[in-house]
Amino acid sequence: MPDDFSPAATSWISPSQGWVLGFVPCEDGSCAEVLHTTTGGSSWAALQAPGLHPSEFGNSPQLQATQSRWVTTLVATNTEDTVISTTGGESWRPVDVPADKVGDLAATTDGIYLTAHATEGEQVVTTLWRTPNTRSAWEPVEGVAAEVPGQLGSVMSDIAVVPSGVRLVGTSAFDAPTHAWSSPDGAELEEIKAPCGDLATQFFGLADDEHQFALCSQNPGRGAMDKELFRSSDGVTFESVGTLPPRTGITSDFAVANGDTVAIGATGGGAGIVHMTFDGGQTWETPLFAADTGPVLDLSFQDQDHGVLLTGYPGLGTSVIYRTSDGGHTWEPLDL
């Protein structure tokens, strides 16, 4: 591993195989490196550097990995500059989409998706783009476009997928309309009534087509905000389920392991926090409170038992990768 490597984003396609993007000191200040493991993190190999630097605006970088037949494809972004490798990290080239900011990345068995935010006057326009897994040929996805008033930094988006395709896409922004699109059958995405109100941030997570979840968070205060879990069996109508999650922490990510196990990533008081339910939202507990780190990001489950997350600020040297092998009941730091 490179000296002084600070992890900044991670993506895993199985419990044993994953990638971590991080930053190291360089002549230009700080440069991105990518590490790869096929042993669940017991050993790592450095790949070709993707040529990225930290975001000029302090945005969190993202990394998305996918495999299709014999091709391993990686997409990395600092949200302003985005690159792709269809050679498993041996070489990289720029992604050409009309985006002032990349909002989210996701992958299915046959495609990679990203949400693009672009400023047009006093409006921010959000669109969805797709490329096949095996090459860089990005095209807009029809039917997904939203225009809201506001600043670029206030708009966020989320893509939820199952292996066969995109199921839910959403955008939210401070004091602006919230939008959502659904594809219950994996075909065309159509706009639906967003499960979250206009003052809420909106995250989606899928266990399967019959267990589609939305997390709505609002009323932020000092290290805390209201959170409410919604569930849908058709991807169109969402209903509140269970009891309210803990208010502690500003929501930063969301993931679903199965129809009963749901995880909320958050931060408060400088800590990385994970709230979890193991009974579909009826009760909640907090299995991770990582002091002196930062927001929980890249929260995901590779199967019902194995999950991963990143918490902290790479620029401050507080970032740590955590993994679980018992379905989220316990989380342990991963050595890099």
Side-chain angles (χ1 to χ4, degrees), residues 260-319:
D260 293 321
T261 303
V262 175
I264 299 172
T267 185
I273 303 167
V274 174
H275 302 302
M276 295 200 64
T277 178
F278 301 100
D279 53 15
Q282 300 304 310
T283 60
W284 293 86
E285 55 189 83
T286 305
L288 178 65
F289 189 93
D292 301 323
T293 55
V296 169
L297 301 169
D298 293 338
L299 178 60
S300 66
F301 288 90
Q302 291 71 59
D303 57 29
Q304 295 191 37
D305 296 320
H306 296 87
V308 68
L309 63 85
L310 180 143
T311 181
Y313 297 100
L316 300 178
T318 66
S319 55

Side-chain angles (χ1 to χ4, degrees), residues 109-154:
T109 54
D110 63 357
I112 302 173
Y113 296 81
L114 67 78
T115 47
H117 304 305
T119 301
E120 295 186 5
E122 296 182 353
Q123 306 288 312
V124 177
V125 177
T126 299
T127 51
L128 179 68
W129 293 73
R130 176 192 179 276
T131 187
N133 274 355
T134 56
R135 63 186 189 276
S136 185
W138 297 86
E139 294 184 352
V141 176
E142 292 185 5
V144 181
E147 183 175 310
V148 299
Q151 302 295 317
L152 191 63
S154 69

Side-chain angles (χ1 to χ4, degrees), residues 67-263:
Q67 282 187 336
S68 178
R69 300 185 186 92
W70 61 90
V71 178
T72 298
T73 301
L74 306 171
V75 178
T77 182
N78 62 8
T79 73
E80 294 107 51
D81 299 308
T82 304
V83 294
I84 186 171
S85 171
T86 54
T87 58
E90 294 181 4
S91 61
W92 301 82
R93 58 185 182 275
V95 168
D96 184 19
V97 297
D100 297 317
K101 174 185 174 183
V102 170
D104 195 22
L105 296 171
T108 66
T109 54
D110 63 357
I112 302 173
Y113 296 81
L114 67 78
T115 47
H117 304 305
T119 301
E120 295 186 5
E122 296 182 353
Q123 306 288 312
V124 177
V125 177
T126 299
T127 51
L128 179 68
W129 293 73
R130 176 192 179 276
T131 187
N133 274 355
T134 56
R135 63 186 189 276
S136 185
W138 297 86
E139 294 184 352
V141 176
E142 292 185 5
V144 181
E147 183 175 310
V148 299
Q151 302 295 317
L152 191 63
S154 69
V155 178
M156 62 160 288
S157 53
D158 196 41
I159 308 169
V161 302
V162 293
S164 59
V166 175
R167 288 295 184 268
L168 292 162
V169 179
T171 67
S172 53
F174 298 123
D175 298 326
T178 302
H179 294 269
W181 297 264
S182 175
S183 175
D185 58 1
E188 294 183 359
L189 287 156
E190 297 182 355
E191 189 158 12
I192 61 171
K193 180 181 178 181
C196 302
D198 291 347
L199 298 179
T201 59
Q202 180 175 252
F203 288 92
F204 291 123
L206 308 178
D208 50 50
D209 285 340
E210 295 184 358
H211 297 86
Q212 305 187 34
F213 291 90
L215 178 70
C216 304
S217 305
Q218 58 187 344
N219 298 325
R222 181 174 295 180
M225 68 191 311
D226 296 336
K227 307 172 183 70
E228 188 170 4
L229 183 67
F230 293 80
R231 184 176 62 203
S232 173
S233 60
D234 61 9
V236 177
T237 303
F238 287 80
E239 297 181 353
S240 180
V241 294
T243 60
L244 294 178
R247 195 169 188 275
T248 303
I250 301 296
T251 303
S252 56
D253 211 347
F254 180 63
V256 175
N258 56 50
D260 293 321
T261 303
V262 175

